[in-house]
Amino acid sequence: MTGDRVAVVGASAAGLAAAEALRRHGWPGELSLVGAEPHLPYDRPPLSKRLLSGAWGAGRARLRSREQLAQLGLDLRLGVAAVSLDARTGRLTLSDGTELECSGVIAATGLTARVFPGGAGLSGVRSLRSLDDALALRAELGMSRRRVVVVGNGVLGSEVASVARELGHEVALVGPAATPMERSLGPCVGALLAQAHAARGVALHGGRRVEQLGAEAGAVRSVHLDDGTELPADLVLTATGSTPATAWLASTEGLDLTDGVGCDAYCAAAPNLYAAGDVARWHHAVYGRDLRVEHRMNATEQGIAAARNLLAALLPRPGSAAAEFTPVPYFWSDQYDVRVQAHGLLSPGGHLRTEVFRGDRLGAATLHGADGLATGVVAANLSPRTVRALRAVVARPAPWDRAVDDFESALERFETCDPHHGGGGT
């Protein structure tokens, strides 16, 4: 690559973290932050929670003010998407026809929501990925009582269902897993979340798939499931997953775009091309496998790591050697009075040891692992002190039997907590 410019493509949490780290660690040249959306960088977890409920305005989700961004000396290009990258020359082409000559590029373009079959063009069918999506969905939920069907019972669908129900709407939650978030968290926590939803009147249709949408006069009116159930609907939220936004790199030679931007342990996809956040699939040297993590904490941490490693390549200096990116993955989800937190690598299909506690508030903890190693823990409604103790069990993969003993020791004096206190997010 050529030029004295670094371009960060994707004005996301990962992209912003990368841009700030580049300046903080000494990049002296031009620094472009390119974002397809017209908005200043904003946080995504509140979209399905506080912003959707109306507790927050759009401005509160903003990560930095325009004045704070100006202090970085950015060439800020919002509302403009990247179209292609020639990795050999460093020429980055944008949708407005601009060509930027770059000495380094960080890809942080995130995800694109999957298009739901049969939903295109139908009024009342929405997805939730961007700030504009959230504002449009919030406007729909601000109307009088509606019949809401949420398709997809993973984290996004489960969170939207909880918000819609708390706003007073009639809600049905449909998904392929038997219980909410079971595929990622396992059956114990899935059952706890199912109990929370059912207790508040959400109709759960686990283990079911949508066969078609019923429409009238161009608007959705019903959702037909594979068991013959017909659910009346005024509003359908499709939360059936996302795909890495890599189309702009399709013509770049030498990249592996099988599932996101394939990178090495240093987040490098090619010489002077790095990736961070939801779009990055990198080799985690501790777990010994490739990972792509769609969680907020990872976005910030990986943006910083990618920036530092790119700088080590562009400006070699004593003490600035590249470092492998080996985080302990973390995410959280709040639904009603349940706060779920997960640390490490979860594998519901492998070993799974479950301990359930009942006190003033229902709490649960599960230990996950595979191939004889414990690699992850999930905690629901446990205190920060208990969660920290559980995280320590899997800070590095540990032999299963030893980890079980440590897991049980950490829970000997477990404490439940109020889920609305403390930090966290997806």
Side-chain angles (χ1 to χ4, degrees):
M1 294 189 179
T2 59
D4 61 354
R5 178 191 305 269
V6 169
V8 179
V9 183
S12 56
L16 176 62
E20 290 181 329
L22 284 164
R23 284 300 192 218
R24 185 165 60 249
H25 294 290
W27 174 247
E30 291 289 326
L31 179 56
S32 297
L33 181 61
V34 179
E37 296 182 54
H39 308 292
L40 294 177
Y42 60 85
D43 214 5
R44 292 191 186 276
L47 299 187
S48 59
K49 302 169 187 172
R50 295 178 181 87
L51 191 139
L52 187 61
S53 71
W56 282 17
R60 194 166 175 183
R62 190 176 296 156
L63 290 168
R64 301 288 185 273
S65 67
R66 193 172 291 276
E67 291 72 26
Q68 289 172 317
L69 292 174
Q71 294 174 9
L72 297 174
L74 290 177
D75 168 32
L76 187 60
R77 298 173 183 262
L78 300 177
V80 182
V83 173
S84 64
L85 172 67
D86 185 330
R88 182 179 59 82
T89 64
R91 182 177 294 109
L92 176 67
T93 303
L94 307 182
S95 58
D96 62 0
T98 302
E99 293 185 346
L100 302 177
E101 302 294 332
C102 305
S103 54
V105 173
I106 295 177
T109 40
L111 304 171
T112 301
R114 289 197 182 104
V115 177
F116 190 76
L122 278 184
S123 174
V125 178
R126 297 202 173 273
S127 59
L128 177 53
R129 178 62 195 165
S130 68
L131 176 59
D132 289 339
D133 292 338
L135 293 175
L137 183 59
R138 186 171 76 177
E140 295 260 18
L141 293 175
M143 299 180 182
S144 57
R145 183 179 174 90
R146 314 208 77 193
R147 299 169 297 179
V148 180
V149 177
V150 179
V151 181
N153 58 0
V155 59
L156 177 61
S158 299
E159 289 180 351
V160 171
S162 70
V163 170
R165 187 68 192 117
E166 288 183 316
L167 291 174
H169 300 288
E170 180 181 325
V171 179
L173 178 59
V174 179
T179 57
M181 297 179 64
E182 180 175 322
R183 287 186 168 181
S184 57
L185 301 180
C188 171
V189 178
L192 186 154
L193 291 172
Q195 177 182 333
H197 282 280
R200 291 160 177 80
V202 174
L204 298 174
H205 298 270
R208 299 269 67 92
R209 297 184 183 276
V210 174
E211 290 209 331
Q212 64 178 8
L213 303 179
E216 181 181 319
V220 69
R221 288 292 176 260
S222 59
V223 177
H224 300 258
L225 307 185
D226 57 1
D227 64 351
T229 301
E230 180 179 345
L231 302 173
D234 305 304
L235 175 63
V236 175
L237 184 281
T238 62
T240 52
S242 305
T243 56
T246 60
W248 64 285
L249 292 169
S251 62
T252 305
E253 295 182 4
L255 299 185
D256 176 5
L257 303 179
T258 305
D259 176 30
V261 181
C263 300
D264 63 15
Y266 301 89
C267 306
N272 297 343
L273 171 61
Y274 290 69
D278 297 352
V279 77
R281 172 174 51 82
W282 86 104
H283 184 75
H284 195 296
V286 172
Y287 295 129
R289 55 176 288 187
D290 287 356
L291 295 183
R292 190 172 62 79
V293 177
E294 298 179 9
H295 301 317
R296 174 65 174 82
M297 184 70 75
N298 184 76
T300 296
E301 292 178 345
Q302 195 166 25
I304 294 170
R308 295 187 68 171
N309 288 343
L310 173 59
L311 272 179
L314 295 177
L315 301 174
R317 292 173 296 185
S320 65
E324 294 178 335
F325 182 57
T326 57
V328 179
Y330 168 73
F331 82 94
W332 79 95
S333 177
D334 290 335
Q335 297 168 45
Y336 311 112
D337 60 353
V338 180
R339 160 157 289 181
V340 178
Q341 299 180 76
H343 290 276
L345 190 62
L346 306 184
S347 53
H351 294 301
L352 182 62
R353 183 180 181 89
T354 302
E355 302 290 342
V356 182
F357 304 96
R358 293 179 183 275
D360 295 334
R361 186 181 299 277
L362 180 66
T366 60
L367 179 67
H368 294 247
D371 301 323
L373 295 175
T375 57
V377 292
V378 179
N381 281 357
L382 299 187
S383 71
R385 181 170 68 175
T386 304
V387 173
R388 285 195 297 271
L390 292 173
R391 181 192 183 279
V393 175
V394 294
R396 286 291 184 265
W400 180 257
D401 290 341
R402 188 184 78 197
V404 167
D405 291 339
D406 292 342
F407 177 78
E408 292 178 339
S409 295
L411 291 171
E412 283 179 355
R413 299 186 62 184
F414 78 95
E415 299 171 344
T416 56
C417 73
D418 180 345
H420 301 294
H421 291 83
T426 49

